[in-house]
């Protein structure tokens, strides 16, 4: 969950909500994802699995863990990954990424 001016987090008694320094905006979805990965890596350096999913995803963990148990123990990143396109630099575009959020490739 990203910290936002005027946003009040509800139902935090269980202690399972983490607020990260990232803007609460669709355009910042990449920054929020990397903030979450950095937090998870720092907080749990020996973490075996991490699942990141939106609230409209139906996740069947038993099938995911069964699939993972059949693979060699190396780092995996699954999902819709696009390696060939460039980041959108037009500030008016909903998928805009600044050079700070996504620097140029070397």
């Amino acid at each position: 969950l990203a910290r936002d001016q005027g946003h009040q987090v509800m139902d935090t008694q269980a202690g399972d909500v983490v607020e990260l320094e990232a803007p609460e905006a669709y355009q910042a979805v990449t920054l929020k994802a990397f903030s979450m990965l950095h937090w998870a890596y720092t907080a749990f350096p020996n973490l075996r699995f991490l699942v990141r999913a939106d609230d409209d995803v139906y996740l069947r963990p038993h099938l995911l863990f069964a699939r993972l148990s059949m693979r060699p123990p190396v780092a995996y990143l699954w999902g819709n990954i696009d390696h060939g396109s460039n980041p959108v630099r037009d500030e008016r575009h909903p998928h805009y990424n600044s050079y700070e959020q996504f620097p140029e490739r070397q």
Side-chain angles (χ1 to χ4, degrees):
L1 183 63
R3 288 187 182 140
D4 188 58
Q5 303 287 334
H7 179 77
Q8 186 174 8
V9 178
M10 304 298 217
D11 200 19
T12 60
Q13 294 84 358
D16 59 353
V17 175
V18 175
E19 288 186 275
L20 302 172
E21 292 292 338
E24 186 59 51
Y26 179 75
Q27 291 84 354
V29 69
T30 304
L31 182 60
K32 291 193 298 185
F34 281 114
S35 294
M36 184 269 310
L37 290 171
H38 180 264
W39 173 83
Y41 178 77
T42 303
F44 304 99
N46 298 317
L47 186 69
R48 287 191 61 203
F49 301 106
L50 173 69
V51 175
R52 178 184 178 268
D54 289 334
D55 59 357
D56 60 349
V57 170
Y58 180 73
L59 181 65
R60 295 178 289 183
H62 60 285
L63 294 176
L64 175 61
F65 291 139
R67 190 80 173 248
L68 286 171
S69 70
M70 294 185 291
R71 295 179 170 266
V74 297
Y76 292 103
L77 181 61
W78 289 343
N80 186 9
I81 301 169
D82 183 357
H83 294 285
S85 64
N86 293 317
V88 177
R89 300 297 187 193
D90 181 355
E91 292 182 15
R92 298 166 294 178
H93 195 280
H95 299 141
Y96 165 72
N97 280 267
S98 70
Y99 287 95
E100 181 181 332
Q101 290 173 310
F102 194 96
E104 284 294 321
R105 295 185 180 120
Q106 300 298 326

